[in-house]
């Protein structure tokens, strides 16, 4: 008999810990008004709605791509990236990196 789950959270709770951790890295999450993040090599951070936000690389090297956009961007320490459209944005660490997401100047 197939079991049914009442919510995605309940469904994820039944998965093995390693799989839950991997899914957690892929889940879109909105960035707060200003936050600093650290990613290990190969880790992915998702900005669900990046409009009005800037990604500033503090250390390391980041590869950035937007959904439905053929362009890719690579930024290194002291460089920044401002998405020109409000598409989900993936930030992948090409090496251990630190970056922050801040609001763009109005």
């Amino acid at each position: 008999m197939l079991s049914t789950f009442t919510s995605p959270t309940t469904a994820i709770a039944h998965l093995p810990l390693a799989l839950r951790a991997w899914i957690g890295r892929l889940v879109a999450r909105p960035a707060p008004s200003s936050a600093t993040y650290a990613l290990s090599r190969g880790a992915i951070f998702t900005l669900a709605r990046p409009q009005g936000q800037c990604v500033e690389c503090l250390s390391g090297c980041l590869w950035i791509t937007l959904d439905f956009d053929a362009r890719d961007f690579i930024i290194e320490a002291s460089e920044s990236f401002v998405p020109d459209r409000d598409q989900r944005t993936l930030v992948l660490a090409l090496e251990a990196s630190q970056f922050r997401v801040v609001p763009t100047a109005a």
Side-chain angles (χ1 to χ4, degrees), residues 66-77:
L66 286 79
D67 278 354
F68 310 108
D69 192 328
R71 301 172 297 166
D72 292 319
F73 305 90
I74 295 178
I75 61 173
E76 297 179 315

Side-chain angles (χ1 to χ4, degrees), residues 54-65 72-82 90-100:
C54 175
V55 177
E56 297 177 347
C57 185
L58 304 173
S59 66
C61 186
L62 302 169
W63 170 75
I64 301 172
T65 189
D72 292 319
F73 305 90
I74 295 178
I75 61 173
E76 297 179 315
S78 77
E79 296 179 333
S80 61
F81 172 77
V82 178
L90 300 178
V91 179
L92 180 132
L94 295 175
E95 59 188 55
S97 303
Q98 288 188 345
F99 67 99
R100 80 178 150 207

Side-chain angles (χ1 to χ4, degrees), residues 6-100:
T6 57
S7 73
T9 305
T10 304
I12 289 174
H14 288 84
L15 296 174
L17 182 60
L19 185 55
R20 285 190 309 223
W22 181 78
I23 290 171
R25 288 185 295 174
L26 299 178
V27 173
R29 54 191 165 240
S33 59
S34 180
T36 302
Y37 301 94
L39 294 178
S40 58
R41 181 177 183 228
I44 299 170
F45 178 86
T46 304
L47 285 168
R49 307 281 307 201
Q51 189 99 26
Q53 299 184 42
C54 175
V55 177
E56 297 177 347
C57 185
L58 304 173
S59 66
C61 186
L62 302 169
W63 170 75
I64 301 172
T65 189
L66 286 79
D67 278 354
F68 310 108
D69 192 328
R71 301 172 297 166
D72 292 319
F73 305 90
I74 295 178
I75 61 173
E76 297 179 315
S78 77
E79 296 179 333
S80 61
F81 172 77
V82 178
D84 59 359
R85 56 190 72 183
D86 202 24
Q87 299 291 337
R88 183 178 69 150
T89 301
L90 300 178
V91 179
L92 180 132
L94 295 175
E95 59 188 55
S97 303
Q98 288 188 345
F99 67 99
R100 80 178 150 207

